[in-house]
Amino acid sequence: MTQQISALPTAAFVPLDELDEISGVLGAIHYTDGASDPDVSPGHLRLDLHMAREPAEGFAEVWTTDRPVETGESGGIGYAHDGEHLICGGRVPPSGNYAEATRAAYTTMLELMESLGYQRCARMWNFVNDINADNADGLEVYRDFCLGRAEAFEARNFSDTSVPAATGIGSLGGGISFYVLASRSNTLTPIENSKQVSAYNYPKQYGPRPPKFARATHVSATEDRAAGQVYVSGTSSIRGHETLFAGDVEKQTLLALENIAHLIGPETAADHRIEQHSTLADLDTIKVYVRHREDIPAVRRICEEHFSPDAQVAYLNVDVCRADLSVELEGIVHAPRNEP
Ligand SMILES: C=C(O[C@@H]1C=C(C(=O)O)C=C[C@H]1O)C(=O)O
């Protein structure tokens, strides 16, 4: 079941064999058994990510709209927009080094967003093959990617407090695939977690340039930021800037959930002067990234104790951005909960 994008962008997970039944598609991101370059020939953005070992394990994250969709391609970036929201994406092919190609691709994308008038960047997703391996110069691929991304954001004058929510996760192939959701006029509020150091302030022990993302982005169709929704970044077992519970996937899952609960809860909302606050039961379109396949049943059991039975949840067996992290979760809060 997809949800129409009206004032705010949202999405739903759809089985790959049910996509033809859906109308008003802005973007269809296929989490499947191979990566592709962006394709706008279907009249929306299609981007295939190598995130599943076989199509039967895959799904599509489908962004829909009730408005006419225009598509195009520029400098290798495919895009689709409806006058208020833009989805765009691309791919850096497999390489021994990624910083320069990432910087160039992200710069092209950010320039395209500016030229189309969608400068309010709500959410980014990055899928990095061999994320924990060393590049040709002995630098971890993730750190290589972060270097290029940081340079692109700086070149386009993004301050640390204007970067969007993001995910940076491993993939099963295809180099580095990425996609972005941006808005023309929504009111965006980056949200940080008081229990974690902001990623863009991580010390250099994690790489030459820090990952540039917010812990979440609150998106509202009105300037008073009421009735918004929250894009929760990939969240793991990190307190301050340190990984906790290395080797214990169940404790890592519980701490990641605790981090998200705090991030979307009343204390953080008050810190950011946002009325709306939520709980884990309000989280939907959730992706759970698990490093070791054999850990998925235990992680699923813990997640099912915390999420709504109505939530869409996808479990993916891929690497996580730090070698000592075993699990990571992301999601979207669609409906505020303001009861005391
Ligand atoms: C899990 C973390 O970072 C991951 C990497 C991200 C990126 O580089 O864009 C964003 C969120 C997570 O997917 C973290 O640093 O807390």
Side-chain angles (χ1 to χ4, degrees), residues 52-326:
R53 281 167 174 71
E54 55 189 66
E57 292 181 1
F59 63 95
E61 177 184 85
V62 181
W63 298 85
T64 53
T65 179
D66 50 9
R67 288 181 279 207
V69 174
E70 287 185 47
T71 62
E73 186 276 336
S74 173
I77 305 294
Y79 64 88
H81 59 114
D82 68 357
E84 178 48 48
H85 298 113
L86 166 80
I87 189 167
C88 60
R91 185 167 75 99
V92 175
S95 168
N97 295 76
Y98 282 106
E100 177 47 33
T102 299
R103 183 201 58 75
Y106 256 68
T107 299
T108 300
M109 179 171 65
L110 296 171
E111 288 174 343
L112 174 66
M113 288 160 60
E114 284 175 30
S115 67
L116 293 171
Y118 296 90
Q119 292 176 257
R120 301 182 185 199
C121 189
R123 186 65 162 90
M124 289 187 168
W125 285 267
N126 310 280
F127 305 86
V128 183
N129 185 217
D130 291 334
I131 192 169
N132 303 130
D134 284 352
N135 72 2
D137 300 323
L139 178 66
E140 184 189 45
V141 167
Y142 176 58
R143 301 179 183 207
D144 194 14
F145 159 72
C146 286
L147 175 57
R149 172 176 53 177
E151 291 175 342
F153 272 130
E154 283 161 5
R156 305 310 305 168
N157 302 313
F158 268 74
S159 67
D160 282 346
T161 53
S162 63
V163 293
T167 295
I169 197 75
S171 74
L172 302 176
I176 297 177
S177 301
F178 56 90
Y179 65 100
V180 162
L181 195 64
S183 164
R184 190 181 296 281
S185 62
N186 286 154
T187 304
L188 271 52
T189 307
I191 298 176
E192 291 304 315
N193 190 327
S194 61
K195 295 179 184 291
Q196 297 185 300
V197 168
S198 294
Y200 45 76
N201 289 331
Y202 281 165
K204 286 222 182 280
Q205 70 197 69
Y206 299 102
R209 298 304 311 278
K212 296 276 189 173
F213 67 93
R215 295 293 176 186
T217 304
H218 179 277
V219 181
S220 173
T222 57
E223 288 190 8
D224 67 3
R225 302 189 298 172
Q229 63 187 4
V230 183
Y231 296 114
V232 174
S233 294
T235 304
S236 289
S237 181
I238 291 176
R239 279 292 163 88
H241 59 74
E242 295 180 321
T243 296
L244 298 189
F245 306 123
D248 186 329
V249 68
E250 295 193 14
K251 287 186 176 175
Q252 285 201 15
T253 304
L254 289 167
L255 185 58
L257 288 167
E258 209 177 301
N259 281 337
I260 295 174
H262 181 70
L263 183 69
I264 61 177
E267 186 181 323
T268 305
D271 288 347
H272 293 77
R273 296 191 301 282
I274 294 172
E275 274 185 37
Q276 124 184 32
H277 53 83
S278 307
T279 71
L280 292 173
D282 299 309
L283 206 62
D284 201 349
T285 40
I286 300 162
K287 296 178 203 137
V288 184
Y289 305 102
V290 186
R291 180 182 292 278
H292 302 299
R293 196 176 189 85
E294 63 271 21
D295 289 341
I296 292 178
V299 172
R300 187 193 298 268
R301 272 194 302 278
I302 294 170
C303 290
E304 288 174 350
E305 291 168 4
H306 292 81
F307 297 145
S308 163
D310 300 325
Q312 290 195 302
V313 188
Y315 294 86
L316 298 135
N317 175 213
V318 291
D319 292 336
V320 188
C321 66
R322 289 184 189 177
D324 57 3
L325 289 172
S326 307

